[in-house]
Amino acid sequence: MKWKAIKSLGEVSPGAWARLACLAAALINAALSMLGKSPVTLPGNADEIISIVFAVAASLAAYWKNNSFTRAAQAADEVLEQLRKEGY
């Protein structure tokens, strides 16, 4: 069962991987900022504001788009696409 899930990861869209990578980078950046080790150093509070905006934007993009990582979700996407083509 576990191997089927790993095999389905090869069929995940590049966009889903990109959104996941951006979200991970935003969360790592936010964690570093909370620890006082901000990877971005800008004058004033600009680095904190950029970190927050980056985290919010990455989170919204990852939430809004369909990230079908499992084979069942990918199959459901195919059914949904077929229904849309048929006018439902």
Side-chain angles (χ1 to χ4, degrees):
M1 186 81 158
K2 181 169 67 171
W3 299 111
K4 288 182 183 178
I6 292 172
K7 288 181 183 178
S8 70
L9 291 178
E11 299 170 5
V12 176
S13 72
W17 287 117
R19 288 186 293 276
L20 181 63
C22 285
L23 181 60
L27 292 175
I28 290 168
N29 185 35
L32 288 172
S33 293
M34 286 190 300
L35 295 172
K37 301 177 190 234
S38 182
V40 179
T41 53
L42 298 171
N45 291 342
D47 55 345
E48 294 172 5
I49 293 170
I50 288 173
S51 293
I52 292 169
V53 170
F54 182 43
V56 169
S59 299
L60 288 175
Y63 175 78
W64 187 260
K65 295 297 284 184
N66 185 10
N67 299 314
S68 299
F69 284 99
T70 63
R71 187 170 306 278
Q74 294 165 4
D77 288 343
E78 291 174 11
V79 171
L80 180 60
E81 184 62 31
Q82 185 63 32
L83 287 172
R84 285 183 178 158
K85 287 180 181 177
E86 294 175 2
Y88 287 102

